[in-house]
Amino acid sequence: MRENDMLEKEEIFSKVLRAGRRTYFFDVRATKADDYYITITESKKFTEEDGSFHFKKHKIYLYKEDFASFAEILGDMTSYVLNHKGEEVISERHQKDFKKEYVTEKATADEALPNISTFTDIDFDDI
């Protein structure tokens, strides 16, 4: 393989985002003309019933002439979702291995607390 062909396959700059069963790879690569472009690869892990696993990968190529439009649309789309649905991830509840983590928050002065003072003090000598 020629040296130029090997450079084309090499990542110039990379970042990885691990997100549960998915991993996203962001790579800067070089064209044959030594210009840069970005690849975004989604890799998703699938586990078989026998315990073995495999990965499915999907890749998109993003070229410099599309960067500004891509970033603008991505920003619009993420803002839309967060403005309409907030940041809470509700789809995790529907996964078979979902485990709810309970967070205890302090009640503010404006919130009414239910009356739970029905405790009875019993001395075991009285029984």
Side-chain angles (χ1 to χ4, degrees):
M1 189 177 256
R2 293 184 331 214
E3 184 179 333
N4 197 18
D5 290 337
M6 290 186 64
L7 287 176
E8 181 180 294
K9 306 269 185 219
E10 185 178 312
E11 289 89 16
I12 309 299
F13 179 69
S14 295
K15 290 213 174 216
V16 175
L17 170 62
R18 298 193 196 301
R21 294 183 330 171
R22 290 180 172 87
T23 303
Y24 299 97
F25 299 92
F26 298 84
D27 299 307
V28 174
R29 297 178 180 261
T31 64
K32 289 181 182 179
D34 201 31
D35 202 1
Y36 289 171
Y37 65 98
I38 296 172
T39 62
I40 303 171
T41 307
E42 176 199 41
S43 178
K44 187 173 179 184
K45 184 177 182 178
F46 289 90
T47 305
E48 304 295 336
E49 289 181 12
D50 65 358
S52 64
F53 58 89
H54 68 278
F55 295 93
K56 286 189 179 178
K57 295 182 180 183
H58 298 93
K59 185 177 285 199
I60 64 169
Y61 296 82
L62 188 58
Y63 298 95
K64 288 191 309 188
E65 59 267 22
D66 302 320
F67 286 1
S69 298
F70 186 91
E72 181 182 346
I73 292 172
L74 181 62
D76 291 346
M77 300 307 268
T78 55
S79 293
Y80 181 88
V81 170
L82 295 175
N83 289 335
H84 286 84
K85 294 295 181 180
E87 293 188 23
E88 180 188 9
V89 179
I90 60 174
S91 60
E92 290 177 348
R93 294 181 200 162
H94 304 291
Q95 295 179 6
K96 59 184 171 183
D97 58 346
F98 175 73
K99 292 181 180 129
K100 176 75 174 164
E101 292 182 23
Y102 295 95
V103 177
T104 306
E105 295 180 8
K106 275 189 168 179
T108 62
D110 297 337
E111 294 180 83
L113 294 175
N115 184 0
I116 56 172
S117 61
T118 58
F119 176 74
T120 305
D121 189 14
I122 298 177
D123 189 351
F124 285 103
D125 292 336
D126 295 338
I127 299 179

